Amino acid sequence: MTHGAQGLCITRKPPKMVTQEYGLEKTPILWLSRVANQKNCVRPSPPENVAMAVEHFISVGQDSVVLLDGFEYLVAHNDFPSILALVKREVRLIEPPSGPKLVPRVEVEVAKAGRKSR
């Protein structure tokens, strides 16, 4: 990440692709995959897998930003209420204004679109 924040990216895209596309050389990238056969993969089900990864990252980092790209994938492999509960729980953990941030990818795409239209 930039501006001194420590970031974690959880995505459906292969980590190498994300690293190259966005230049995230130091940012840990977790690949959401049912076939979690690499150390940087996390299975979408049960949702606690993702929760544990986020909570561990938040516990060891400062000024943390978590980008979640794959909300719909998590819902497809679980159920909406359990994924909504997961997001609410993580938001409560990172709620203080000066603390870590959870950024759903939808907001990132909206922000990009807003910059292009100006």
Side-chain angles (χ1 to χ4, degrees):
M1 294 284 166
T2 59
H3 307 308
Q6 296 177 351
L8 170 65
C9 179
I10 302 173
T11 181
R12 286 285 300 129
K13 294 181 181 180
K16 285 184 181 180
M17 179 187 295
V18 175
T19 298
Q20 291 171 349
E21 188 174 340
Y22 298 103
L24 301 175
E25 299 296 329
K26 296 180 180 179
T27 301
I29 300 169
L30 294 179
W31 192 2
L32 276 174
S33 175
R34 285 186 11 213
V35 185
N37 58 2
Q38 299 176 19
K39 73 175 187 172
N40 60 342
C41 291
V42 62
R43 293 181 189 272
S45 183
E48 289 78 17
N49 293 339
V50 174
M52 287 188 309
V54 170
E55 290 167 17
H56 173 73
F57 177 75
I58 290 170
S59 72
V60 298
Q62 295 176 337
D63 297 326
S64 304
V65 176
V66 178
L67 172 66
L68 176 58
D69 173 27
F71 181 83
E72 70 288 343
Y73 186 74
L74 289 170
V75 171
H77 289 280
N78 298 280
D79 60 274
F80 183 78
S82 65
I83 300 305
L84 183 60
L86 165 85
V87 171
K88 285 182 177 181
R89 176 180 170 188
E90 299 309 316
V91 167
R92 276 195 303 272
L93 287 175
I94 61 178
E95 207 167 44
S98 62
K101 308 291 181 247
L102 176 66
V103 182
R105 189 168 193 311
V106 174
E107 290 183 22
V108 172
E109 293 303 317
V110 169
K112 284 182 184 177
R115 278 185 275 171
K116 290 179 184 175
S117 66
R118 291 181 184 180

